[in-house]
Structures are given as C-alpha cells and as structure tokens.
C-alpha cells in the first residue's frame, strides 16, 4: 500500500511538473507573441498581419496578409502595381515568402501582368519544388493557379513619371561605362580609347555629367523601397515576406534583392529573422539577412548583428544606402542603417497599436 501510494504521488508530481511547464510556455508565448516587424512605417500592413496572427493564423499566412495589404495600398508607390516604371515604362513585381520552421522559400521576380506578388510567391512555395520563378513564365504560373490577370500594372502616375524621365534625356539611369546611340539609348560598351560621346550613368542631382561608382546614388525612399516583414505567430514559429516593384527606371529584366532569400529577408525558427531594404543591387552581394541570422545564431544580440551586417557592406561601398532589422526568436528586435535614416514598425501583445522605431546611421 505504501509503495502504491508513493507511486501515485510520484505520478501526480510528474503530472503537475509537466502541466506547469506547458502552461508556463503558453503563458510566456502569449505575453510575447504574436509579434510583427516590418520595414518602414507601413502601419496598415503591420496591422493586417497582426490581426491575422492574433486571430490564430500561421506566421506564413500572417506575413502574406501583411504584404498583400501593402500591395493593395501601393505603399509609397514602391510596393504593388502602379509604381517604379522601368526604362520601357512597365511595372513588374518581385516578392518572396520564407517559412522559418521548414526553411521552404517561394519567390517570383520580374513578374509581369500579375499584381499579387506575395500570393504568387506563396503558391510557388506550396505547389512546386522550386524556389524562384521569373518573368512572364512566373505570370503564367500565377494565373494558372488562380490569381487574377493578365492586367496592366502601370498607372497614370507611373506613366507620368516615365514621360518626365524621357523628357530629361532618360536621366538618371543604371547604365555605366557605355555610350548611347541616342540620348536614351540603345547603349553600347564604351571603348576605353574612345573620346567620342558622353558616358551616361546614374547621376546625382546637381551633377548632370558626374560619373558615379554606385547605383546607390539613384536610390531613395521615394523611388525604391521594399516591404520586408517578419512574423512570430502564437506557436512561436517565424516567417518572413517581401514585396516590391523594384527600382524606378531600372533596366528591363533587372531583379533586385527582394526575391533573394538571405538578402531581403531570412528566417529560422531556431534563431530569429531579418528584413532588409535599400540598394538591392549592392546588398544582394552580401546576403545581409543571412549574415544577421547566422550572427545571432553565434550569440550576437540583434542590435550588434544588424550593425555588423550593415558595416560589412559599408566597408566595401561607403556610399551605399540600406538598412536591416533583426528579430530574435525571443522577440528582441533592433535595426541598423547606412546612408539614410531608417524606420521600422512593430506590433506586439503589449502594444495598443503599431509603433514605429527610428534608427539613425
């Protein structure tokens, strides 16, 4: 009888310990999660993601809701349709989604005629063995999977911007070391020995014939931006997503860092997440978000990991413009930037509404 009572007592103690551990985790998670972080003061997009996550949606679904809201709102004219015309006046879409639990990624790049970039990226992740689909074939895939299209992604605003650019002799642009046949091209490689013609490249305002060493001089919040968003859901799982219509007046076919995992965004449930914005042509050479997450894996705090990733780029390209936010799996977040003042948005259970954090270079 004593042995039986002792056994029952031990079982009850184990049950209580197990229950308190589980309930403790749930309580701890409920006080920290869900959590949404996004580049820039895209308040409505963060609110949309928060509502989804707070309602029990997965991190992936919440990220899609948030980025989709930004596409519909045409955030800053740099996300979704109707903005950032290329040299041919066309708007195209880049987008990515990554599941930090499974490490699956879906992305589309230079997608034409379909406005729903982040939903197309999710379809790539969920219904193909691929990671990235590009160009018109990405459009064909998205439409075949039920997304609306084909449709004209230009707007009256984007066409007006393009017309003024043409009137300004197609300046600024992203060419370098070339000679134009006409002021707006076509362009041909510049002969090092040639002294005929002007060399046209991306120019800074007030220096119409200045030759620059980095396309970052063409990049600003007004003409190029990305929403990069991270969500930790109620279960503690992490996902990231991005969407952008790219750099204004880009060379047709250009793909920025938006759909590149590890550059514009990265997530791993075991560590945390990162989102980036800025001069994607430079930033993708360094995979800053992969760097941030791996630095956190090695023990760096988010603030230090973000600063380290940005400093690695700045050492090689001192005039580049860009920023990242870092988010640990425990919900600690921080940002770092170079060449501009950066803001990112946050919503957590302890906040009454979305809050904006300002980061100075």
């Amino acid at each position: 009888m004593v042995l039986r009572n002792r056994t029952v007592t031990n079982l009850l103690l184990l049950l209580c310990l197990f229950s308190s551990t589980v309930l403790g985790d749930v309580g701890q998670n409920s006080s920290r999660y869900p959590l949404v972080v996004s580049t820039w003061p895209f308040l409505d997009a963060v609110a949309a993601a928060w509502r989804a996550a707070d309602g029990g949606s997965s991190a992936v679904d919440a990220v899609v809701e948030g980025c989709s809201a930004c596409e519909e709102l045409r955030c800053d004219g740099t996300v979704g349709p109707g903005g950032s015309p290329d040299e041919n006046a066309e708007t195209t879409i880049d987008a990515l989604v990554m599941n930090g639990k499974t490490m699956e990624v879906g992305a589309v790049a230079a997608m034409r005629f379909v406005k729903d970039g982040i939903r197309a990226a999710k379809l790539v992740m969920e219904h193909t063995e691929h990671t990235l689909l590009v160009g018109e074939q990405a459009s064909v895939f998205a439409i075949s999977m039920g997304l609306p299209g084909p449709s004209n992604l230009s707007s009256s605003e984007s066409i007006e911007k393009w017309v003024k650019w043409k009137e300004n002799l197609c300046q600024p642009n992203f060419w370098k070391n070339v000679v134009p046949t006409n002021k707006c091209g076509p362009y041909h490689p510049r002969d090092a020995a040639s002294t005929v013609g002007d060399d046209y490249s991306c120019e800074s305002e007030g220096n119409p014939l200045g030759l620059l060493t980095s396309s970052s001089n063409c990049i600003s919040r007004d003409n190029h931006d990305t929403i990069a968003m991270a969500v930790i859901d109620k279960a503690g799982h992490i996902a990231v997503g991005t969407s952008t219509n790219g750099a204004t007046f880009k060379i047709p076919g250009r793909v920025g860092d938006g759909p590149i995992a590890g550059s514009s965004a990265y997530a791993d449930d075991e560590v945390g997440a990162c989102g980036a914005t800025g001069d994607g042509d430079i930033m993708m050479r360094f995979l800053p978000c992969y760097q941030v997450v791996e630095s956190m894996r090695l023990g760096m705090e988010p603030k230090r990991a973000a600063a380290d990733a940005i400093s690695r780029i700045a050492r090689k390209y001192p005039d580049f413009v860009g920023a990242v936010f870092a988010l640990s799996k425990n919900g600690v977040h921080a940002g770092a930037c170079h060449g501009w003042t950066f803001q990112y948005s946050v919503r957590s259970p302890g906040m009454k509404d979305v809050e904006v954090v300002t980061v100075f270079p």
Side-chain angles (χ1 to χ4, degrees):
M1 179 66 70
V2 173
L3 180 61
R4 179 181 300 173
N5 289 340
R6 184 176 299 170
T7 301
V8 171
T9 300
N10 289 339
L11 287 173
L12 288 172
L13 286 172
L14 286 172
L15 180 59
C16 289
L17 178 62
F18 175 76
S19 299
S20 64
T21 301
V22 172
L23 290 175
D25 286 346
V26 171
Q28 189 177 35
N29 280 355
S30 65
S31 66
R32 291 185 298 178
Y33 309 140
L35 180 65
V36 181
V37 182
S38 170
T39 53
W40 304 116
F42 296 147
L43 306 185
D44 291 334
V46 173
W50 167 262
R51 286 193 298 271
D54 194 44
S57 294
S58 69
V60 168
D61 287 340
V63 157
V64 170
E65 287 303 312
C67 290
S68 182
C70 214
E71 291 171 345
E72 291 293 330
L73 293 167
R74 304 184 180 187
C75 292
D76 282 353
T78 59
V79 180
S84 299
D86 64 17
E87 288 191 337
N88 293 335
E90 184 176 4
T91 296
T92 55
I93 304 294
D94 296 343
L96 168 146
V97 63
M98 181 173 185
N99 185 332
K101 179 182 179 181
T102 65
M103 306 306 287
E104 292 176 295
V105 175
V108 292
M111 185 171 69
R112 310 173 68 193
F113 312 131
V114 177
K115 64 181 180 64
D116 299 300
I118 191 69
R119 296 191 188 281
K122 184 171 183 274
L123 289 169
V124 172
M125 183 178 74
E126 292 185 337
H127 298 289
T128 81
E129 296 291 341
H130 301 311
T131 294
L132 173 65
L133 297 181
V134 302
E136 196 163 340
Q137 294 306 314
S139 311
V140 171
F141 165 80
I143 294 169
S144 74
M145 296 300 291
L147 293 181
S151 58
N152 183 2
L153 301 187
S154 298
S155 65
S156 58
E157 293 83 2
S158 68
I159 295 300
E160 181 182 1
K161 183 183 292 187
W162 178 80
V163 169
K164 290 181 179 179
W165 177 74
K166 293 286 283 188
E167 292 173 349
N168 195 44
L169 305 180
C170 301
Q171 296 295 324
N173 63 52
F174 289 90
W175 293 89
K176 66 179 183 180
N177 303 322
V178 295
V179 176
T181 301
N182 298 303
K183 294 298 184 181
C184 286
Y187 300 90
H188 303 288
R190 184 184 182 92
D191 185 343
S194 173
T195 59
V196 178
D198 294 322
D199 188 1
Y200 282 80
S201 59
C202 185
E203 300 165 355
S204 60
E205 186 176 355
N207 183 23
L209 294 180
L211 302 182
L212 306 177
T213 59
S214 169
S215 63
S216 288
N217 296 84
C218 292
I219 301 300
S220 72
R221 170 97 188 266
D222 297 325
N223 69 7
H224 174 73
D225 198 13
T226 303
I227 180 171
M229 177 180 286
V231 173
I232 306 180
D233 63 24
K234 288 185 173 180
H237 298 307
I238 309 175
V240 291
T242 70
S243 185
T244 180
N245 51 39
T248 305
F249 312 131
K250 59 185 173 286
I251 298 169
R254 179 260 190 185
V255 173
D257 68 330
I260 308 301
S263 187
S264 66
Y266 198 72
D268 187 336
D269 271 15
E270 296 178 359
V271 183
C274 169
T277 182
D279 186 348
D281 289 298
I282 299 298
M283 297 178 78
M284 72 168 72
R285 302 170 191 175
F286 295 83
L287 297 179
C289 276
Y290 179 78
Q291 183 67 55
V292 165
V293 172
E294 290 308 303
S295 292
M296 290 194 296
R297 191 190 305 276
L298 295 175
M300 280 192 190
E301 291 298 315
K303 184 176 182 179
R304 185 181 169 199
D308 175 71
I310 289 295
S311 69
R312 290 168 183 261
I313 307 174
R315 283 198 297 270
K316 297 290 186 179
Y317 292 92
D319 62 342
F320 106 97
V321 175
V324 299
F325 69 75
L327 173 65
S328 76
K329 67 178 181 180
N330 297 320
V332 179
H333 52 83
C337 60
H338 184 86
W340 58 8
T341 297
F342 172 55
Q343 292 182 305
Y344 67 92
S345 304
V346 185
R347 178 71 198 271
S348 68
M351 299 175 180
K352 294 182 179 180
D353 205 345
V354 181
E355 297 182 4
V356 176
V357 179
T358 300
V359 181
F360 298 97

